[in-house]
Amino acid sequence: MQDTSFAIHPGKEKKLKDQTFHDIGNLKQFIQRDQVFAFQTEKAYVNVIFYRDDIVRVVMNPHQEPELNNSFAVEQGPDSVDVKVDEQEDMLVLSSEHVKVQVCKEPFRINVLDTKGYSLVSDATQGMGFNNDGHVICFKKAYQDDHYYGFGEKTGFLDKRGEKYTMWNSDVYAPHNPETDPLYESIPFFMTLRRGRATGIFFDNTFKTTFNMKVEQSETYSFEAEGGQLDYYVCAGPSPKEVLEQYTALTGRMPLPPKWGLGYHQSRYSYKTDAEVRELVQNFVDKEIPVDAIHLDIHYMNGYRVFTFDQNRFPDPKKLIMDMKEKGIRAVPIVDPGVKVDAEYSIYQEGITNDLFCKYLEGNIFFGDVWPGKSAFPDFTKESTRKWWGESHKFYTELGIEGIWNDMNEPAVFNETKTMDVDVMHDNDGNPKTHRELHNVYGYLMGEATYNGMKELLDQKRPFLLTRAGYAGVQKYAAVWTGDNRSFWEHLEMAIPMCLNLGVSGVAYSGPDVGGFAHDTNGELLTRWTQFGTFTPFFRNHSAIEFVYQEPWQFGEKYEAIIKKYIQLRYKWLPHIYKLFKEASETGVPVMRPLFMEYPDDEETYQLSDQFLIGSNVIIAPVLRPGVKDRIVYLPKGIWHDYWTGETYEGGQRIIAHAELDHLPIYVKSGAILPEANVKPSTAHDVDEMTIHIYPSENGALYELYDDDGETFNYQQKEYFTLELNVKQSSDAVLIDSKVSHQQYKPKWKEIAYKIHGVSSKDTIIYNGENISDVKVQEGYVSFKKAW
Ligand code: MIG
């Protein structure tokens, strides 16, 4: 081609990508249209909208007035907020009760401050801009003591200062190491913590986005997208928990999962036959190891056709599922998006006949190779596809299935780019957009279709959904597991900050494959990992084909006994864990929390990647290395009790926890109240003994025990139970007030065994005004029983 004009093709020059940054320039015009403050600068259009008096949205579009109703994650429009406008010579100041937005005129810059004038989020010397390739970017000032958290599912440690991340849902089987990025989820949200003050930024853009938090030299961080609008929300805090409340007010909260979703789950790629599953179930029953669900990986299907069972391997799935249910165990089948090309397969036929698959602009269907071979992919951006896909789950619900596992929904495709062709044109309900733009919401929309379909079909029962891929707001539909980790100690260690940052990103319900997916695990690793899993919101042991089996009993009795003890411990803690899930579903504050969330003023907590909190007052400090029997634990200010021995520690220091293989270090803070159930084979068996542990504090202790049927939505019709506890401590007495405050559901337990820790027989115990004299005195605590 050297001898034609092609040699001087202008495109050649373009290959040197034009990354020139165009600043949007000075303010030219400002008008207010109802809630919208609309600015026109020399080169762009900017809208500022108060969603609440503590949430501000900024949208910049280089070409036209911003589009405002374009979010996949945010379902609600703005509240009506009282905003004062003060026009000064060099800036406009928009103030609500909680924040002030300074809009500087020349050059156009935006600074968000709190009412005291403390800067929350401020444009840097460079502000908003774009380049000729359609990228949009924003530079913000970084401060020396900024710490950054969130960004969804990322490798590395807790604090993301100094990191750079990309959002592009990716199937990564290769070992996840500190520079493996991106992974399966795209959650373009992060929280800044600066000397105890927290703010959040949600960059709501579904294109590939990049967050550059390498702030050290530039004192600037930036977020950038390959296309679309620069559309972000500032959540003004001021505490980390308030940021979570604000962010999940925008993107939605996790619905309360069924209790069985919180029990122990056992998985394997794959349990391949009816006989194998039955034997597995029988093993759990015989060994008296609690289990709530068995996951069925791809081998259950007929030639990997979704919505089918292989007739030879699983001749009577309905019977299998019924027999399992009789033992209180559910089955969770995997469902991938790829639909096998097969003219005689009804799902494929329906997809073709009703035009439900992803297509190119020219009208030809996109085909890609996945497990079933050549496959088509449902276009979940289309309402009719979501409805069809949801309804198709009738196949599963008719067999008695109540939970679904979505995998490969990045979507993963076996080709060079590992995903769908970015030129595919999604229907997007009549507003067509390329896969390049909508890639990151493919799994999210599959989740929406699946969750809503299951909810409809299950007739008032709560569905369980597990997903690998997602976008901001994925918590509305699914729990997230962290994909293909490996049986490495390093991956056990990495799972803590990964799940903590998922929690900071609105995903309260997450967990890694316990034991590790790929690579051969071993007894010690599985034991330590199970101890950690006991306290991750989602608790599933899963392993890959070709590697050793890793069910609790695979490494001999010594390990089996300890693993069993910890799975049982999960069931003992379920009433508390369930209560924390209820809270997360209402406030967005995660179940598993980084310590800074409770101690935002304590800088010692800012980088703690190897220990975490369950709720507000229980520290879990797993052992993360082979052969290690001692580890350092940081205890923030307060009095802490060793959960196992009752020994107390003054906080504000590091202690060395001794942890033999059967020991997971757990510390409970004075002021905690923790319910404990008796162990049952699964959550299908009602708890009938309730113990309440009280760790009195001079500052008092409050708890609301919550319970409901655990599987329907009746709690939304007030069918639940609450018991309020209010405990006070003086120098020689503990006063307990216990009152059933709501009782439209009746738990099966009739009485409560109270265990009061850190007191002696000399202390007077007063329960609802009555002096309790017949207390049992044990080592470290006294106990008595009462009917509720
Ligand atoms: O690796 O369905 O992450 O949990 O067992 C190929 C088989 C596809 C990836 C998932 C994994 C699952 C496996 N899948």
Side-chain angles (χ1 to χ4, degrees):
M1 300 264 243
Q2 278 312 313
D3 47 2
T4 70
S5 322
F6 192 81
I8 46 168
H9 193 297
K12 262 190 150 178
E13 196 185 22
K14 218 192 149 206
K15 281 210 181 94
L16 302 166
K17 275 202 171 171
D18 185 359
Q19 296 291 353
T20 320
F21 172 83
H22 302 284
D23 191 289
I24 63 171
N26 296 337
L27 178 66
K28 275 172 46 193
Q29 246 192 64
F30 158 66
I31 50 162
Q32 183 176 355
R33 274 181 259 119
D34 298 325
Q35 300 264 110
V36 181
F37 298 96
F39 303 91
Q40 200 181 329
T41 73
E42 289 165 316
K43 290 192 181 154
Y45 301 81
V46 179
N47 283 182
V48 173
I49 305 145
F50 283 72
Y51 265 57
R52 300 195 329 196
D53 55 19
D54 51 4
I55 305 175
V56 181
R57 180 180 183 190
V58 177
V59 196
M60 184 276 282
N61 187 315
H63 314 291
Q64 64 197 48
E65 270 296 328
E67 200 189 317
L68 298 177
N69 297 318
N70 55 339
S71 180
F72 287 89
V74 182
E75 282 170 4
Q76 282 186 5
D79 289 355
S80 81
V81 181
D82 197 14
V83 183
K84 290 205 180 57
V85 185
D86 175 19
E87 170 136 29
Q88 301 169 3
E89 205 191 316
D90 55 343
M91 67 169 79
L92 267 127
V93 183
L94 315 174
S95 351
S96 73
E97 213 186 305
H98 274 86
V99 292
K100 266 190 209 308
V101 178
Q102 294 178 339
V103 182
C104 305
K105 296 180 182 170
E106 296 187 1
F108 186 90
R109 295 288 179 267
I110 291 188
N111 303 320
V112 181
L113 319 168
D114 69 10
T115 46
K116 289 184 210 117
Y118 178 90
S119 157
L120 303 179
V121 170
S122 302
D123 281 350
T125 315
Q126 284 185 303
M128 292 185 265
F130 55 92
N131 72 14
N132 284 345
D133 284 336
H135 290 219
V136 288
I137 186 163
C138 186
F139 296 93
K140 298 283 184 199
K141 269 186 207 153
Y143 293 78
Q144 240 176 22
D145 32 22
D146 274 1
H147 299 267
Y148 307 109
Y149 308 97
F151 303 100
E153 183 185 58
K154 297 296 178 193
T155 58
F157 292 113
L158 183 67
D159 183 359
K160 301 309 192 187
R161 185 184 170 91
E163 303 293 342
K164 186 175 175 187
Y165 290 115
T166 300
M167 304 294 168
W168 183 255
N169 290 0
S170 305
D171 169 17
V172 186
Y173 177 71
H176 304 166
N177 68 50
E179 61 174 12
T180 309
D181 180 60
L183 291 176
Y184 317 88
E185 296 270 330
S186 290
I187 308 185
F189 170 78
F190 69 97
M191 181 188 291
T192 302
L193 184 61
R194 187 186 306 148
R195 277 183 266 129
R197 185 75 173 70
T199 47
I201 289 186
F202 170 37
F203 182 23
D204 192 8
N205 183 308
T206 61
F207 279 89
K208 184 183 279 178
T209 52
T210 309
F211 291 78
N212 191 343
M213 315 311 280
K214 292 186 182 293
V215 299
E216 220 80 293
Q217 286 154 345
S218 59
E219 293 179 2
T220 301
Y221 66 79
S222 65
F223 44 94
E224 176 174 0
E226 279 196 353
Q229 307 185 125
L230 188 86
D231 187 348
Y232 67 96
Y233 297 78
V234 175
C235 300
S239 69
K241 285 185 185 172
E242 284 161 300
V243 170
L244 262 275
E245 190 278 327
Q246 290 150 358
Y247 170 69
T248 57
L250 290 170
T251 60
R253 302 199 171 112
M254 167 191 67
L256 184 62
K259 272 186 192 167
W260 67 268
L262 309 183
Y264 176 73
H265 290 207
Q266 182 65 54
S267 187
R268 166 89 185 167
Y269 168 26
S270 303
Y271 298 122
K272 289 191 184 134
T273 61
D274 178 283
E276 193 181 0
V277 173
R278 285 178 188 276
E279 191 190 318
L280 179 75
V281 164
Q282 201 51 47
N283 264 321
F284 276 100
V285 173
D286 293 346
K287 293 170 182 296
E288 297 179 348
I289 299 174
V291 62
D292 259 283
I294 306 290
H295 289 230
L296 300 178
D297 210 323
I298 53 176
H299 289 88
Y300 79 85
M301 293 179 268
N302 171 16
Y304 309 119
R305 288 169 185 82
V306 286
F307 307 99
T308 68
F309 266 89
D310 182 297
Q311 288 299 306
N312 296 324
R313 297 173 197 262
F314 290 92
D316 192 350
K318 193 166 193 167
K319 177 94 179 26
L320 173 67
I321 280 143
M322 211 173 67
D323 291 347
M324 284 171 67
K325 266 200 174 168
E326 252 162 42
K327 298 189 161 81
I329 302 168
R330 263 109 168 160
V332 178
I334 198 167
V335 178
D336 293 352
V339 172
K340 186 178 176 67
V341 172
D342 170 358
E344 295 179 348
Y345 166 36
S346 65
I347 296 288
Y348 183 67
Q349 289 167 350
E350 289 166 22
I352 294 292
T353 315
N354 302 316
D355 188 19
L356 303 169
F357 291 125
C358 294
K359 296 187 300 190
Y360 290 96
L361 180 60
E362 296 78 7
N364 43 328
I365 294 178
F366 168 81
F367 294 111
D369 265 1
V370 268
W371 300 124
K374 187 176 174 187
S375 303
F377 294 80
D379 188 356
F380 293 113
T381 69
K382 211 172 165 172
E383 172 70 34
S384 52
T385 304
R386 290 199 297 274
K387 196 155 171 282
W388 163 68
W389 192 258
E391 284 168 358
S392 301
H393 286 74
K394 195 166 178 200
F395 171 78
Y396 295 110
T397 55
E398 280 186 340
L399 299 173
I401 287 166
E402 297 169 40
I404 298 290
W405 167 20
N406 283 165
D407 186 23
M408 305 287 278
N409 52 348
E410 293 72 25
V413 182
F414 302 150
N415 61 20
E416 249 180 38
T417 67
K418 306 205 314 184
T419 193
M420 189 175 286
D421 192 335
V422 292
D423 285 342
V424 163
M425 191 59 92
H426 290 287
D427 176 83
N428 196 31
D429 287 330
N431 179 16
K433 301 224 152 123
T434 58
H435 189 67
R436 191 166 79 93
E437 177 163 357
L438 299 187
H439 172 79
N440 283 341
V441 286
Y442 189 83
Y444 171 86
L445 295 171
M446 181 182 186
E448 180 185 334
T450 307
Y451 184 82
N452 290 339
M454 289 294 285
K455 188 171 174 183
E456 188 70 31
L457 288 161
L458 286 175
D459 185 31
Q460 273 305 303
K461 274 195 175 171
R462 295 175 223 168
F464 168 81
L465 178 62
L466 180 65
T467 187
R468 193 168 74 172
Y471 181 70
V474 64
Q475 66 270 9
K476 295 191 285 279
Y477 310 119
V480 170
W481 100 99
T482 57
D484 296 345
N485 63 3
R486 302 211 164 190
S487 302
F488 300 159
W489 288 90
E490 290 83 350
H491 280 195
L492 164 60
E493 179 183 39
M494 180 177 73
I496 300 179
M498 193 181 278
C499 291
L500 288 174
N501 277 315
L502 273 164
V504 173
S505 311
V507 182
Y509 197 6
S510 76
D513 284 344
V514 168
F517 176 67
H519 201 74
D520 287 335
T521 199
N522 60 66
E524 187 186 359
L525 179 57
L526 181 63
T527 303
R528 291 302 194 188
W529 210 318
T530 307
Q531 291 172 347
F532 166 54
T534 301
F535 291 99
T536 52
F538 179 56
F539 185 18
R540 183 185 73 158
N541 172 319
H542 181 49
S543 63
I545 197 163
E546 286 177 12
F547 297 98
V548 293
Y549 277 77
Q550 60 183 40
E551 293 71 23
W553 49 85
Q554 295 292 0
F555 301 94
E557 277 171 27
K558 172 176 137 195
Y559 298 109
E560 179 185 330
I562 305 173
I563 290 168
K564 175 175 171 179
K565 169 177 157 183
Y566 281 90
I567 296 175
Q568 290 179 330
L569 192 68
R570 170 74 170 204
Y571 284 78
K572 289 188 181 175
W573 278 69
L574 269 185
H576 186 53
I577 292 172
Y578 192 51
K579 160 76 183 175
L580 294 173
F581 268 86
K582 184 74 180 9
E583 268 177 36
S585 74
E586 288 163 353
T587 65
V589 176
V591 175
M592 175 182 175
R593 303 176 191 165
L595 270 75
F596 74 74
M597 201 165 278
E598 296 294 333
Y599 301 92
D601 294 314
D602 180 353
E603 295 190 4
E604 297 291 330
T605 64
Y606 291 4
Q607 312 229 28
L608 281 179
S609 296
D610 63 351
Q611 58 180 85
F612 58 97
L613 285 158
I614 282 299
S616 62
N617 46 25
V618 177
I619 287 177
I620 309 292
V623 171
L624 307 168
R625 282 288 178 270
V628 168
K629 291 181 180 166
D630 298 277
R631 62 153 291 170
I632 291 175
V633 182
Y634 177 67
L635 300 175
K637 287 230 158 57
I639 311 261
W640 296 85
H641 304 253
D642 182 313
Y643 173 72
W644 303 102
T645 65
E647 196 173 331
T648 58
Y649 299 90
E650 184 72 49
Q653 62 158 333
R654 286 176 177 76
I655 60 165
I656 295 178
H658 183 67
E660 295 289 331
L661 188 62
D662 65 350
H663 187 96
L664 167 69
I666 303 175
Y667 299 90
V668 181
K669 198 180 180 190
S670 281
I673 297 179
L674 301 169
E676 180 189 311
N678 56 337
V679 176
K680 291 286 174 183
S682 80
T683 61
H685 304 255
D686 285 319
V687 167
D688 45 19
E689 286 173 33
M690 178 56 67
T691 303
I692 290 182
H693 295 269
I694 297 174
Y695 297 82
S697 155
E698 280 161 14
N699 303 323
L702 288 173
Y703 192 76
E704 188 191 67
L705 179 62
Y706 173 85
D707 202 11
D708 61 25
D709 65 27
E711 57 174 339
T712 73
F713 286 96
N714 294 349
Y715 71 94
Q716 292 173 345
Q717 264 64 57
K718 293 203 157 42
E719 289 186 26
Y720 59 85
F721 172 88
T722 52
L723 177 103
E724 274 175 27
L725 288 153
N726 185 349
V727 178
K728 297 202 175 78
Q729 184 181 36
S730 65
S731 56
D732 57 355
V734 177
L735 284 93
I736 302 166
D737 276 325
S738 163
K739 165 174 114 225
V740 174
S741 41
H742 189 88
Q743 210 195 133
Q744 255 158 272
Y745 165 80
K746 275 205 171 70
K748 295 292 171 298
W749 37 274
K750 299 269 178 296
E751 51 177 23
I752 298 172
Y754 288 95
K755 291 194 175 170
I756 305 157
H757 295 259
V759 296
S760 71
S761 54
K762 279 175 265 144
D763 292 289
T764 310
I765 309 284
I766 299 178
Y767 173 87
N768 285 351
E770 169 198 352
N771 196 333
I772 306 284
S773 48
D774 56 341
V775 293
K776 268 219 268 173
V777 184
Q778 268 114 331
E779 218 178 304
Y781 65 87
V782 300
S783 65
F784 65 95
K785 280 190 177 172
K786 282 284 162 195
W788 57 269

